[in-house]
PDB file of all heavy atoms in Angstrom:
ATOM      1  N   TYR A 498      41.511  33.765   8.608  1.00  0.00           N
ATOM      2  CA  TYR A 498      42.868  34.210   8.274  1.00  0.00           C
ATOM      3  C   TYR A 498      43.818  33.091   8.109  1.00  0.00           C
ATOM      4  O   TYR A 498      44.570  33.112   7.178  1.00  0.00           O
ATOM      5  CB  TYR A 498      43.381  35.148   9.407  1.00  0.00           C
ATOM      6  CG  TYR A 498      44.745  35.710   9.161  1.00  0.00           C
ATOM      7  CD1 TYR A 498      44.957  36.858   8.230  1.00  0.00           C
ATOM      8  CD2 TYR A 498      45.821  35.236   9.824  1.00  0.00           C
ATOM      9  CE1 TYR A 498      46.189  37.332   8.048  1.00  0.00           C
ATOM     10  CE2 TYR A 498      47.124  35.719   9.538  1.00  0.00           C
ATOM     11  CZ  TYR A 498      47.306  36.820   8.727  1.00  0.00           C
ATOM     12  OH  TYR A 498      48.547  37.356   8.509  1.00  0.00           O
ATOM     13  N   LEU A 499      43.749  32.060   8.996  1.00  0.00           N
ATOM     14  CA  LEU A 499      44.726  31.010   8.926  1.00  0.00           C
ATOM     15  C   LEU A 499      44.217  29.770   8.204  1.00  0.00           C
ATOM     16  O   LEU A 499      45.085  28.834   7.862  1.00  0.00           O
ATOM     17  CB  LEU A 499      45.112  30.577  10.409  1.00  0.00           C
ATOM     18  CG  LEU A 499      45.893  31.575  11.262  1.00  0.00           C
ATOM     19  CD1 LEU A 499      46.060  30.967  12.659  1.00  0.00           C
ATOM     20  CD2 LEU A 499      47.217  31.857  10.643  1.00  0.00           C
ATOM     21  N   HIS A 500      42.889  29.633   8.050  1.00  0.00           N
ATOM     22  CA  HIS A 500      42.320  28.459   7.443  1.00  0.00           C
ATOM     23  C   HIS A 500      42.627  27.213   8.388  1.00  0.00           C
ATOM     24  O   HIS A 500      42.846  26.171   7.800  1.00  0.00           O
ATOM     25  CB  HIS A 500      42.759  28.233   6.003  1.00  0.00           C
ATOM     26  CG  HIS A 500      42.390  29.274   5.146  1.00  0.00           C
ATOM     27  ND1 HIS A 500      42.625  29.282   3.751  1.00  0.00           N
ATOM     28  CD2 HIS A 500      41.798  30.497   5.288  1.00  0.00           C
ATOM     29  CE1 HIS A 500      42.261  30.380   3.206  1.00  0.00           C
ATOM     30  NE2 HIS A 500      41.731  31.208   4.135  1.00  0.00           N
ATOM     31  N   LEU A 501      42.661  27.426   9.598  1.00  0.00           N
ATOM     32  CA  LEU A 501      42.929  26.331  10.612  1.00  0.00           C
ATOM     33  C   LEU A 501      41.858  26.323  11.638  1.00  0.00           C
ATOM     34  O   LEU A 501      41.337  27.444  12.101  1.00  0.00           O
ATOM     35  CB  LEU A 501      44.287  26.508  11.295  1.00  0.00           C
ATOM     36  CG  LEU A 501      45.509  26.373  10.430  1.00  0.00           C
ATOM     37  CD1 LEU A 501      46.790  26.791  11.134  1.00  0.00           C
ATOM     38  CD2 LEU A 501      45.658  24.902   9.906  1.00  0.00           C
ATOM     39  N   PRO A 502      41.425  25.092  12.162  1.00  0.00           N
ATOM     40  CA  PRO A 502      40.391  25.108  13.259  1.00  0.00           C
ATOM     41  C   PRO A 502      40.940  25.836  14.438  1.00  0.00           C
ATOM     42  O   PRO A 502      42.086  25.627  14.882  1.00  0.00           O
ATOM     43  CB  PRO A 502      40.393  23.593  13.484  1.00  0.00           C
ATOM     44  CG  PRO A 502      40.719  22.927  12.240  1.00  0.00           C
ATOM     45  CD  PRO A 502      41.825  23.780  11.680  1.00  0.00           C
ATOM     46  N   THR A 503      40.083  26.685  14.956  1.00  0.00           N
ATOM     47  CA  THR A 503      40.441  27.558  16.068  1.00  0.00           C
ATOM     48  C   THR A 503      39.343  27.634  17.199  1.00  0.00           C
ATOM     49  O   THR A 503      38.198  27.523  16.861  1.00  0.00           O
ATOM     50  CB  THR A 503      40.635  29.029  15.546  1.00  0.00           C
ATOM     51  OG1 THR A 503      41.658  29.018  14.505  1.00  0.00           O
ATOM     52  CG2 THR A 503      41.064  29.973  16.699  1.00  0.00           C
ATOM     53  N   ALA A 504      39.738  27.736  18.459  1.00  0.00           N
ATOM     54  CA  ALA A 504      38.804  27.952  19.466  1.00  0.00           C
ATOM     55  C   ALA A 504      39.339  29.022  20.444  1.00  0.00           C
ATOM     56  O   ALA A 504      40.568  29.116  20.718  1.00  0.00           O
ATOM     57  CB  ALA A 504      38.483  26.690  20.216  1.00  0.00           C
ATOM     58  N   CYS A 505      38.465  29.802  21.064  1.00  0.00           N
ATOM     59  CA  CYS A 505      38.915  30.801  22.023  1.00  0.00           C
ATOM     60  C   CYS A 505      38.120  30.709  23.320  1.00  0.00           C
ATOM     61  O   CYS A 505      36.919  30.538  23.327  1.00  0.00           O
ATOM     62  CB  CYS A 505      38.661  32.265  21.427  1.00  0.00           C
ATOM     63  SG  CYS A 505      39.714  32.659  20.041  1.00  0.00           S
ATOM     64  N   ILE A 506      38.831  30.873  24.416  1.00  0.00           N
ATOM     65  CA  ILE A 506      38.186  30.879  25.717  1.00  0.00           C
ATOM     66  C   ILE A 506      38.982  32.005  26.422  1.00  0.00           C
ATOM     67  O   ILE A 506      39.861  32.591  25.962  1.00  0.00           O
ATOM     68  CB  ILE A 506      38.244  29.539  26.433  1.00  0.00           C
ATOM     69  CG1 ILE A 506      39.666  29.058  26.611  1.00  0.00           C
ATOM     70  CG2 ILE A 506      37.355  28.551  25.808  1.00  0.00           C
ATOM     71  CD1 ILE A 506      39.853  27.786  27.485  1.00  0.00           C
ATOM     72  N   GLY A 507      38.604  32.131  27.728  1.00  0.00           N
ATOM     73  CA  GLY A 507      39.325  33.124  28.499  1.00  0.00           C
ATOM     74  C   GLY A 507      38.569  33.737  29.621  1.00  0.00           C
ATOM     75  O   GLY A 507      37.372  33.371  29.894  1.00  0.00           O
ATOM     76  N   ASN A 508      39.168  34.686  30.327  1.00  0.00           N
ATOM     77  CA  ASN A 508      38.532  35.462  31.298  1.00  0.00           C
ATOM     78  C   ASN A 508      39.020  36.823  31.242  1.00  0.00           C
ATOM     79  O   ASN A 508      39.699  37.219  30.221  1.00  0.00           O
ATOM     80  CB  ASN A 508      38.858  34.852  32.739  1.00  0.00           C
ATOM     81  CG  ASN A 508      40.281  34.570  32.959  1.00  0.00           C
ATOM     82  OD1 ASN A 508      41.153  35.432  32.598  1.00  0.00           O
ATOM     83  ND2 ASN A 508      40.704  33.512  33.555  1.00  0.00           N
ATOM     84  N   ASP A 509      38.769  37.637  32.201  1.00  0.00           N
ATOM     85  CA  ASP A 509      39.056  39.095  32.158  1.00  0.00           C
ATOM     86  C   ASP A 509      40.608  39.328  32.383  1.00  0.00           C
ATOM     87  O   ASP A 509      41.109  40.414  32.271  1.00  0.00           O
ATOM     88  CB  ASP A 509      38.292  39.942  33.131  1.00  0.00           C
ATOM     89  CG  ASP A 509      36.791  39.981  32.759  1.00  0.00           C
ATOM     90  OD1 ASP A 509      36.437  39.608  31.632  1.00  0.00           O
ATOM     91  OD2 ASP A 509      36.039  40.501  33.579  1.00  0.00           O
ATOM     92  N   ASP A 510      41.348  38.207  32.655  1.00  0.00           N
ATOM     93  CA  ASP A 510      42.820  38.379  32.778  1.00  0.00           C
ATOM     94  C   ASP A 510      43.647  37.862  31.576  1.00  0.00           C
ATOM     95  O   ASP A 510      44.770  38.285  31.296  1.00  0.00           O
ATOM     96  CB  ASP A 510      43.253  37.609  34.000  1.00  0.00           C
ATOM     97  CG  ASP A 510      42.663  38.203  35.276  1.00  0.00           C
ATOM     98  OD1 ASP A 510      42.675  39.441  35.329  1.00  0.00           O
ATOM     99  OD2 ASP A 510      42.245  37.333  36.144  1.00  0.00           O
ATOM    100  N   LYS A 511      43.009  36.977  30.773  1.00  0.00           N
ATOM    101  CA  LYS A 511      43.771  36.288  29.711  1.00  0.00           C
ATOM    102  C   LYS A 511      42.829  35.771  28.539  1.00  0.00           C
ATOM    103  O   LYS A 511      41.796  35.217  28.871  1.00  0.00           O
ATOM    104  CB  LYS A 511      44.621  35.182  30.195  1.00  0.00           C
ATOM    105  CG  LYS A 511      45.764  34.689  29.267  1.00  0.00           C
ATOM    106  CD  LYS A 511      46.597  33.634  29.917  1.00  0.00           C
ATOM    107  CE  LYS A 511      47.555  34.312  30.875  1.00  0.00           C
ATOM    108  NZ  LYS A 511      48.561  35.198  30.286  1.00  0.00           N
ATOM    109  N   LEU A 512      43.309  35.988  27.369  1.00  0.00           N
ATOM    110  CA  LEU A 512      42.659  35.389  26.144  1.00  0.00           C
ATOM    111  C   LEU A 512      43.382  34.181  25.802  1.00  0.00           C
ATOM    112  O   LEU A 512      44.552  34.251  25.442  1.00  0.00           O
ATOM    113  CB  LEU A 512      42.644  36.450  25.035  1.00  0.00           C
ATOM    114  CG  LEU A 512      42.294  35.942  23.620  1.00  0.00           C
ATOM    115  CD1 LEU A 512      40.789  35.485  23.628  1.00  0.00           C
ATOM    116  CD2 LEU A 512      42.457  36.912  22.500  1.00  0.00           C
ATOM    117  N   GLN A 513      42.770  33.018  25.890  1.00  0.00           N
ATOM    118  CA  GLN A 513      43.282  31.741  25.505  1.00  0.00           C
ATOM    119  C   GLN A 513      42.859  31.365  24.110  1.00  0.00           C
ATOM    120  O   GLN A 513      41.687  31.276  23.792  1.00  0.00           O
ATOM    121  CB  GLN A 513      42.940  30.659  26.491  1.00  0.00           C
ATOM    122  CG  GLN A 513      43.439  30.872  27.921  1.00  0.00           C
ATOM    123  CD  GLN A 513      44.701  30.192  28.152  1.00  0.00           C
ATOM    124  OE1 GLN A 513      45.393  29.680  27.278  1.00  0.00           O
ATOM    125  NE2 GLN A 513      45.109  30.177  29.455  1.00  0.00           N
ATOM    126  N   ILE A 514      43.815  31.028  23.201  1.00  0.00           N
ATOM    127  CA  ILE A 514      43.528  30.712  21.809  1.00  0.00           C
ATOM    128  C   ILE A 514      44.092  29.296  21.554  1.00  0.00           C
ATOM    129  O   ILE A 514      45.218  28.990  21.754  1.00  0.00           O
ATOM    130  CB  ILE A 514      44.154  31.699  20.875  1.00  0.00           C
ATOM    131  CG1 ILE A 514      43.606  33.107  21.161  1.00  0.00           C
ATOM    132  CG2 ILE A 514      43.805  31.287  19.355  1.00  0.00           C
ATOM    133  CD1 ILE A 514      44.405  34.180  20.444  1.00  0.00           C
ATOM    134  N   LEU A 515      43.242  28.387  21.082  1.00  0.00           N
ATOM    135  CA  LEU A 515      43.668  27.081  20.641  1.00  0.00           C
ATOM    136  C   LEU A 515      43.693  26.932  19.141  1.00  0.00           C
ATOM    137  O   LEU A 515      42.625  27.186  18.556  1.00  0.00           O
ATOM    138  CB  LEU A 515      42.767  25.989  21.314  1.00  0.00           C
ATOM    139  CG  LEU A 515      42.820  25.808  22.843  1.00  0.00           C
ATOM    140  CD1 LEU A 515      41.888  26.865  23.517  1.00  0.00           C
ATOM    141  CD2 LEU A 515      42.293  24.357  23.219  1.00  0.00           C
ATOM    142  N   ILE A 516      44.831  26.463  18.628  1.00  0.00           N
ATOM    143  CA  ILE A 516      44.918  26.345  17.181  1.00  0.00           C
ATOM    144  C   ILE A 516      45.194  24.866  16.928  1.00  0.00           C
ATOM    145  O   ILE A 516      46.188  24.293  17.522  1.00  0.00           O
ATOM    146  CB  ILE A 516      46.023  27.180  16.587  1.00  0.00           C
ATOM    147  CG1 ILE A 516      45.930  28.682  17.017  1.00  0.00           C
ATOM    148  CG2 ILE A 516      46.018  27.075  15.091  1.00  0.00           C
ATOM    149  CD1 ILE A 516      44.692  29.382  16.433  1.00  0.00           C
ATOM    150  N   GLN A 517      44.434  24.224  16.071  1.00  0.00           N
ATOM    151  CA  GLN A 517      44.642  22.782  15.733  1.00  0.00           C
ATOM    152  C   GLN A 517      45.576  22.755  14.519  1.00  0.00           C
ATOM    153  O   GLN A 517      45.196  22.925  13.344  1.00  0.00           O
ATOM    154  CB  GLN A 517      43.346  22.099  15.418  1.00  0.00           C
ATOM    155  CG  GLN A 517      43.447  20.638  15.105  1.00  0.00           C
ATOM    156  CD  GLN A 517      42.065  19.962  14.923  1.00  0.00           C
ATOM    157  OE1 GLN A 517      41.265  20.060  15.816  1.00  0.00           O
ATOM    158  NE2 GLN A 517      41.865  19.296  13.823  1.00  0.00           N
ATOM    159  N   THR A 518      46.846  22.486  14.828  1.00  0.00           N
ATOM    160  CA  THR A 518      47.864  22.441  13.681  1.00  0.00           C
ATOM    161  C   THR A 518      49.139  21.749  14.238  1.00  0.00           C
ATOM    162  O   THR A 518      49.268  21.578  15.512  1.00  0.00           O
ATOM    163  CB  THR A 518      48.181  23.845  13.267  1.00  0.00           C
ATOM    164  OG1 THR A 518      49.162  23.760  12.173  1.00  0.00           O
ATOM    165  CG2 THR A 518      48.827  24.656  14.337  1.00  0.00           C
ATOM    166  N   GLU A 519      50.022  21.404  13.337  1.00  0.00           N
ATOM    167  CA  GLU A 519      51.328  20.874  13.753  1.00  0.00           C
ATOM    168  C   GLU A 519      52.436  21.950  13.519  1.00  0.00           C
ATOM    169  O   GLU A 519      53.557  21.684  13.845  1.00  0.00           O
ATOM    170  CB  GLU A 519      51.675  19.641  12.902  1.00  0.00           C
ATOM    171  CG  GLU A 519      50.776  18.433  13.255  1.00  0.00           C
ATOM    172  CD  GLU A 519      50.987  17.228  12.353  1.00  0.00           C
ATOM    173  OE1 GLU A 519      51.932  17.367  11.545  1.00  0.00           O
ATOM    174  OE2 GLU A 519      50.417  16.224  12.535  1.00  0.00           O
TER     175      GLU A 519
END
Side-chain angles (χ1 to χ4, degrees):
Y498 180 79
L499 293 178
H500 299 184
L501 292 171
T503 303
C505 293
I506 59 174
N508 52 40
D509 290 352
D510 297 318
K511 192 173 291 289
L512 170 63
Q513 295 267 11
I514 302 166
L515 291 81
I516 309 290
Q517 184 175 304
T518 183
E519 296 178 356

